[in-house]
Amino acid sequence: MIANVPTFPAVLIAGPPHSGKSVLAYWLSQHLRQARVAHYLLRAAPDGEGDWFLRNQRNPVVRIVRQENKGDFSERFVHETLNAIRSRMAPLLVDVGGRPQGAQVAILQACTHVVLLYRNADERAHWRRFFAGQDLALIAELRSTLSEPERLQALTPVLRGTIGGLRREAPAPGPVFGALLERLRGILHYDEASLAFLHLQNAPAAPLREADLARALGLWTGKGGLHWQAEKALPRLQGWQPPRGGLALYGRGPVWLAAALAVRNVPEPFWVFDPRFGWLALPTVADRPRPALRWERQPWQDGWRLRARLPQHWLDPQDLWLPADLPAQAGLLLDGRLPRWALASLARALFPRHPWLAIRDLHDGGAVVIASRASHYAAGQRLSVDG
């Protein structure tokens, strides 16, 4: 946990199924990031969606992965999601399911503000009754439509109007989207530098901000956000010398970057900042099965593909394990929707026994070689993956 961090807002994006909640949450988050407004987008529904899907949903491989990751609201998923909201270490946007019931209602109650989407008067009345008596500040109530133009009806005290075009493809922001974005900028109110200062003052070792690493590797352009390219970053990382005494990685870059840095920093300690846990030391990888993590393996290229499954749609540090009988001296592709800290820890455990190691990159459906002792594979090389 991190000391001296204030209570942050948690803005719920609520409404019936198929009203555009996930799309709105995604595009709001993208625009807030461009404006350097510090926040995290928490997907509070096990529907298999994430930024990686919404960016590449036309890719058939990405669509398959999304279907494989869809699931139900397990008891553990609800419990851990609730804990993540209650112990949040940054402002949150919370994308929730369209039919909350039973214990799921507590997820909504843990938030501080709500943006309500609806398609007709009956849906609006239903959700108004649902939120009656809840300690949530309604900041926007918007009718969602795919075909009509946006229309702003009121700015205060609640933003009201019609918001249009909430398709997964990039929408053209209209006046209602812009007004909602400005309202959220005021509520979330932490800029990235201020939030980073709060987090980094508690770093357990030399803090490494991903933006600073990009500058050290000659990758920083100073234009827009930081977009990591494995083909450029990982070859240059081979010549980068990490400081002694351990590293504390801070940022929200790709999963393959955290895994590559963890391997590059062996044998020094390595921490990753995670919005659920704060500063997290890489957990020990057990060699006995854990119920929250299942593995499937199959031959792949000249090595093996090890695919993770999360039956409970959640993973904690104590859940991490690897099969003890993995074929040694063969390359390995790590596949599955796993958090950065998990892939970093698994990569550290695996690379000493395998000549090359690749990480699945769900943002394009392929994979990235993060470390290699084999002549026919190079760090940063991209590999195609089917299914």
Side-chain angles (χ1 to χ4, degrees):
M1 296 296 291
I2 296 180
N4 302 321
V5 172
T7 300
F8 297 106
V11 180
L12 179 72
I13 312 295
H18 312 300
S19 57
K21 298 185 301 298
S22 294
V23 176
L24 178 62
Y26 171 75
W27 287 110
L28 285 171
S29 182
Q30 293 301 303
H31 281 77
L32 288 167
R33 291 182 195 182
Q34 293 172 11
R36 300 292 191 267
V37 177
H39 71 287
Y40 283 89
L41 173 54
L42 177 65
R43 304 286 183 183
D47 56 10
E49 290 192 3
D51 287 5
W52 56 273
F53 172 70
L54 289 163
R55 286 174 184 165
N56 304 281
Q57 55 90 26
R58 288 186 178 275
N59 185 324
V61 174
V62 171
R63 296 181 73 87
I64 291 172
V65 174
R66 188 253 177 163
Q67 289 297 321
E68 292 174 344
N69 281 275
K70 290 183 69 173
D72 299 322
F73 280 90
S74 68
E75 181 179 346
R76 183 175 183 189
F77 179 88
V78 174
H79 174 75
E80 297 293 354
T81 299
L82 183 58
N83 284 343
I85 297 173
R86 287 174 172 169
S87 60
R88 57 190 176 274
M89 298 179 186
L92 294 181
L93 290 179
V94 181
D95 176 18
V96 74
R99 296 188 181 96
Q101 54 189 318
Q104 301 168 33
V105 175
I107 294 175
L108 284 65
Q109 295 170 331
C111 297
T112 59
H113 301 73
V114 60
V115 173
L116 174 60
L117 292 181
Y118 66 93
R119 291 167 299 190
N120 53 57
D122 289 342
E123 290 178 345
R124 178 175 60 179
H126 167 80
W127 282 87
R128 280 181 172 179
R129 290 192 299 270
F130 185 85
F131 286 120
Q134 304 286 355
D135 189 20
L136 283 164
L138 179 64
I139 61 174
E141 196 177 60
L142 305 173
R143 186 171 69 90
S144 176
T145 173
L146 291 177
S147 57
E148 298 177 32
E150 292 200 354
R151 185 164 63 93
L152 185 61
Q153 294 175 303
L155 281 171
T156 59
V158 175
L159 177 63
R160 302 185 192 279
T162 298
I163 189 165
L166 294 181
R167 299 179 178 88
R168 291 187 175 118
E169 297 82 5
V176 177
F177 182 91
L180 179 58
L181 185 65
E182 285 304 306
R183 182 72 52 95
L184 288 174
R185 289 181 66 171
I187 291 170
L188 300 175
H189 73 261
Y190 273 88
D191 62 81
E192 290 180 348
S194 298
L195 189 63
F197 175 79
L198 289 173
H199 292 157
L200 292 173
Q201 67 181 344
N202 296 280
L208 178 62
R209 298 181 58 169
E210 291 178 358
D212 294 335
L213 177 63
R215 293 185 180 94
L217 298 179
L219 301 172
W220 182 261
T221 64
K223 297 179 180 179
L226 177 57
H227 300 288
W228 288 95
Q229 294 177 290
E231 301 89 333
K232 293 182 178 180
L234 294 186
R236 298 183 189 185
L237 192 63
Q238 306 307 303
W240 176 75
Q241 187 61 44
R244 293 184 178 273
L247 278 180
L249 180 64
Y250 185 82
R252 57 197 312 167
V255 292
W256 50 259
L257 178 63
L261 282 166
V263 170
R264 183 72 181 85
N265 197 50
V266 170
E268 300 289 346
F270 194 81
W271 288 263
V272 175
F273 184 84
D274 183 274
R276 290 171 52 206
F277 304 108
W279 288 109
L280 180 65
L282 295 188
T284 301
V285 179
D287 59 2
R288 294 184 179 182
R290 301 289 192 269
L293 175 61
R294 296 176 185 169
W295 291 107
E296 299 172 359
R297 54 180 151 170
Q298 63 187 94
W300 188 77
Q301 296 200 6
D302 58 349
W304 290 83
R305 180 180 185 179
L306 193 61
R307 180 182 291 188
R309 302 291 191 189
L310 304 178
Q312 301 168 353
H313 298 277
W314 204 270
L315 192 73
D316 281 341
Q318 67 268 20
D319 298 325
L320 212 55
W321 71 283
L322 280 169
D325 58 346
L326 284 175
Q329 304 308 314
L332 198 66
L333 165 64
L334 265 180
D335 193 355
R337 193 179 177 187
L338 294 172
R340 283 162 36 109
W341 56 263
L343 287 168
S345 188
L346 293 168
R348 271 202 166 193
L350 287 167
F351 186 60
R353 294 181 285 149
H354 299 273
W356 57 267
L357 184 63
I359 300 290
R360 184 72 179 270
D361 185 2
L362 293 176
H363 285 282
D364 69 0
V368 173
V369 177
I370 64 158
S372 176
R373 295 184 295 272
S375 59
H376 53 296
Y377 289 98
Q381 181 178 344
R382 286 197 171 269
L383 308 175
S384 61
V385 182
D386 296 325

